Amino acid sequence: MARNIASREKDYSQWYLDVIKAAELADYAPVRGCMIIRPDGYALWESIQKHFDEAFKDTGHVNAYFPLLIPISFLEKEAEHVEGFAPECAVVTHAGGEELEEPLVIRPTSETVIGHMYSKWVQSWRDLPILINQWCNVMRWEKRSRLFLRTSEFLWQEGHTAHATREEAVEETLKMLDIYRDIMENILALPVLAGEKSEGERFPGADNTYACETMMSDRKALQAGTSHFLGQNFAKAFDISFQNRDGELEHAWTTSWGVSTRLIGAIVMTHSDDDGLVIPPRVAPVKVVVLPISPDRDLVDSKLMPKSSEIAETLNAILGKRSVKVDTRFHMRPGDRFFANIQKGIPLRLELGEKEYQREVFQAVRRDNGERFDIPWDQAAVKVPEILEDIQHNLYNRALEFRKQNTFKAGNFEEFKDIFAGKGGFVEAFFAGGKEEEKLIKEETGATVRCFPLEREETGTCFFTGKPGAKLAVFAKSY
RNA sequence: CGGGACGUAGCGCAGCCUGGUUAGCGCACUUGACUGGGGGUCAAGGGGUCGGAGGUUCAAAUCCUCUCGUCCCGACCA
């Protein structure tokens, strides 16, 4: 049991912050609401980035960079967009020692500048589609911030595409949602509920918003990624138009989609335990730590270290460069070294002491379940990758099982209220209400519509309004 | 932005109510010894503008005002 981490059961919020602190993922910045992403946190972000970036490029997207500062007038061109984002924008009013003629907004998202540029780049149907992504920081002045989940500045990727037809743009929106789901499930081991957002939760300026919703270990929902079908709203506001095959002028159809450093928060809150961080192997920057351990320095230098380096080299060749680390902190006591590696969330530990050396094995310890067992040296190259895969699947299955255990059905508002008066969780219910009904439900229970899951076509009687033909919604309290 | 809690060494805290020696404790850190397979033992050390600014007072960590920040609960959001 870690002594520097609050119990998850007793104080979930404190536990979350303690895990991040113990794993040295992030720290507070001197500016309110901002955070420092420390090297181990950033390495995790880079690993996440790598998987998404590959998938974007595999589907024909290219990276570019648009500027941090946006003329305030751009934001004002799309009515809903400005209404949604204006309250949380940081604005630059002075530069070069003078007041600016037109204030500049620090981007809260880049639909507007990108729309402005697309209007210049698009003239013909042959110019479409445009499939651009950018990795950058954005700023949204948050009233209440939490490390990784909600900070005033955060890192993300924003994809922005423009298409000749509505069908193609809708297809893109759903394709990216599915890529998100795939990586979250298969790499980050986060079971995802992919679906359509309700009217009240839609992106400002979008016709339709889709999201990947995941359940954290306190049964609250976290929106882990979003994909928006923007219709022709931004195309009209920024005049992204083109001549079609028949020579007629048409507005393009656009999409945007993003995932952020919030995913790190999702990993923390899905997999970690009272001992600290747990990182799924496929996304872990360090997948294996080798721990030579003995009070006898001669033995360490002559036998344990060479063997440790050898296995690290062998495994690095299989698992990828730098994915195996040898812990050489001999000034620390064994217990300290164990705990330090546990709290970092490294999936697998290989201990090598005198006993193991004589028997030509490593003592392996899994981070996900604490199991320990011997791996003979000559089997390590085969066994270790297998075990890492097993850990990966175990983490996913465990999270999925947890979600299933905490997903309930409600046929009427009484049942619904009872669930949220208790432990809460995900509640499936047919819902035909609008913004007003959602608001009432939130006021009374704290829960909101997380999404209308795709792949759940069934309809029924609305649990709240009693209307027939309602779609299936999933409700939860959320971050 | 509303309600609550808090800010004293790197971290966690005591001291404040009732102002008065040189501001203390635990952990961490440094050095040494004994140690060493799940957060050791002993000894000797280093480290503080008591979040900041004003004020009251002979005297402020302590009382008053303002301010900045953090955490929790709400409203708003990736």
Side-chain angles (χ1 to χ4, degrees):
Chain A
M1 174 70 76
R3 60 188 183 198
N4 55 344
I5 297 178
S7 135
R8 183 168 54 168
E9 199 57 42
K10 247 168 52 191
D11 190 345
Y12 196 86
S13 300
Q14 192 59 48
W15 167 81
Y16 173 74
L17 295 169
D18 289 347
V19 169
I20 287 169
K21 195 199 264 184
E24 298 178 310
L25 297 181
D27 212 336
Y28 291 100
V31 175
R32 173 200 189 90
C34 294
M35 68 173 165
I36 314 296
I37 303 178
R38 302 184 64 177
D40 286 341
Y42 200 78
L44 182 53
W45 176 236
E46 286 179 316
S47 174
I48 293 169
Q49 260 184 316
K50 192 181 70 194
H51 289 99
F52 282 98
D53 202 56
E54 278 297 309
F56 299 159
K57 286 172 179 163
D58 283 348
T59 47
H61 302 83
V62 288
N63 285 335
Y65 186 78
F66 293 83
L68 173 73
L69 298 173
I70 299 176
I72 202 161
S73 57
F74 278 30
L75 219 65
E76 290 159 355
K77 288 191 182 181
E78 215 288 334
E80 283 186 29
H81 194 65
V82 66
E83 196 186 325
F85 281 109
E88 43 186 316
C89 280
V91 183
V92 179
T93 57
H94 290 72
E98 290 176 24
E99 183 163 356
L100 297 171
E101 209 159 290
E102 181 181 354
L104 301 171
V105 169
I106 298 176
R107 65 178 161 221
T109 178
S110 304
E111 276 74 6
T112 59
V113 230
I114 292 178
H116 176 82
M117 295 314 296
Y118 282 9
S119 86
K120 294 188 175 186
W121 296 342
V122 176
Q123 267 114 54
S124 151
W125 62 274
R126 293 178 204 275
D127 296 326
L128 295 170
I130 300 187
L131 307 173
I132 287 180
N133 175 65
Q134 81 166 338
W135 291 95
C136 64
N137 59 341
V138 287
M139 177 158 275
R140 298 177 186 178
W141 213 253
E142 295 293 345
K143 311 270 182 183
R144 189 179 166 202
S145 59
R146 300 191 75 193
L147 294 178
F148 291 117
L149 300 177
R150 189 175 300 102
T151 47
S152 289
E153 181 189 8
F154 59 90
L155 305 184
W156 77 346
Q157 82 26 241
E158 46 179 327
H160 294 271
T161 68
H163 307 263
T165 64
R166 180 193 170 90
E167 291 66 39
E168 201 184 304
V170 169
E171 190 189 327
E172 168 79 5
T173 308
L174 294 172
K175 183 203 283 176
M176 298 322 287
L177 183 75
D178 199 54
I179 284 177
Y180 284 168
R181 186 196 52 70
D182 180 55
I183 294 174
M184 289 177 197
E185 293 192 334
N186 291 311
I187 307 296
L188 310 187
L190 307 173
V192 164
L193 214 56
E196 190 178 337
K197 292 305 256 185
S198 66
E199 196 190 341
E201 301 264 329
R202 204 171 283 158
F203 177 78
D207 275 6
N208 224 327
T209 288
Y210 297 87
C212 290
E213 295 285 334
T214 57
M215 183 188 280
M216 303 296 99
S217 57
D218 62 351
R219 303 174 187 79
K220 282 165 80 172
L222 184 77
Q223 180 172 304
T226 48
S227 186
H228 314 293
F229 171 60
L230 303 174
Q232 291 179 308
N233 302 332
F234 286 88
K236 284 177 179 165
F238 289 90
D239 192 29
I240 309 172
S241 54
F242 64 98
Q243 268 189 306
N244 65 21
R245 284 176 173 82
D246 302 325
E248 298 157 335
L249 214 51
E250 280 187 57
H251 285 294
W253 301 82
T254 64
T255 80
S256 68
W257 25 274
V259 296
S260 70
T261 35
R262 176 179 264 192
L263 285 171
I264 295 175
I267 290 171
V268 172
M269 285 198 290
T270 300
H271 302 304
S272 303
D273 57 28
D274 275 1
D275 286 333
L277 185 62
V278 177
I279 310 178
R282 288 186 192 165
V283 74
V286 177
K287 303 181 200 309
V288 178
V289 61
V290 183
L291 208 77
I293 183 166
S294 168
D296 180 350
R297 276 314 297 250
D298 286 343
L299 180 73
V300 167
D301 291 342
S302 65
K303 302 214 162 83
L304 304 187
M305 269 309 291
K307 188 67 208 173
S308 298
S309 304
E310 184 195 316
I311 185 66
E313 210 172 302
T314 306
L315 290 174
N316 271 330
I318 298 166
L319 301 170
K321 276 195 248 175
R322 280 166 258 113
S323 51
V324 182
K325 200 172 80 178
V326 180
D327 187 334
T328 57
R329 294 175 293 181
F330 295 105
H331 63 280
M332 285 166 71
R333 300 177 50 73
D336 293 329
R337 295 169 75 201
F338 296 146
F339 275 98
N341 287 301
I342 288 170
Q343 301 199 330
K344 285 279 178 187
I346 298 169
L348 188 68
R349 196 165 75 237
L350 297 179
E351 298 174 15
L352 180 65
E354 191 172 1
K355 283 177 280 181
E356 286 80 12
Y357 194 88
Q358 282 165 0
R359 294 171 42 231
E360 303 198 346
V361 299
F362 298 105
Q363 181 166 173
V365 187
R366 286 171 61 142
R367 178 63 184 91
D368 61 330
N369 59 14
E371 261 177 41
R372 54 175 67 231
F373 47 89
D374 289 340
I375 300 178
W377 290 351
D378 59 6
Q379 291 177 28
V382 175
K383 289 273 183 197
V384 168
E386 282 175 11
I387 294 160
L388 291 173
E389 279 303 287
D390 193 60
I391 293 172
Q392 180 79 28
H393 293 123
N394 181 42
L395 288 173
Y396 178 80
N397 290 333
R398 199 159 80 178
L400 182 62
E401 188 54 30
F402 181 80
R403 191 185 77 190
K404 283 183 181 165
Q405 294 288 322
N406 290 286
T407 299
F408 311 99
K409 289 187 197 309
N412 57 59
F413 197 40
E414 285 311 310
E415 286 174 22
F416 187 94
K417 280 192 284 193
D418 284 348
I419 295 165
F420 288 107
K423 280 185 178 174
F426 281 10
V427 173
E428 297 177 348
F430 294 109
F431 185 59
K435 267 187 182 175
E436 274 311 304
E437 286 78 13
E438 277 188 60
K439 210 176 152 197
L440 288 171
I441 292 168
K442 181 168 187 187
E443 272 166 19
E444 203 152 337
T445 64
T448 51
V449 179
R450 298 326 303 156
C451 68
F452 297 95
L454 304 172
E455 300 166 12
R456 295 288 293 271
E457 303 272 291
E458 65 260 56
T459 55
T461 307
C462 174
F463 84 104
F464 196 72
T465 62
K467 285 186 209 163
K471 285 195 290 184
L472 186 79
V474 171
F475 288 80
K477 293 186 184 175
S478 75
Y479 278 98

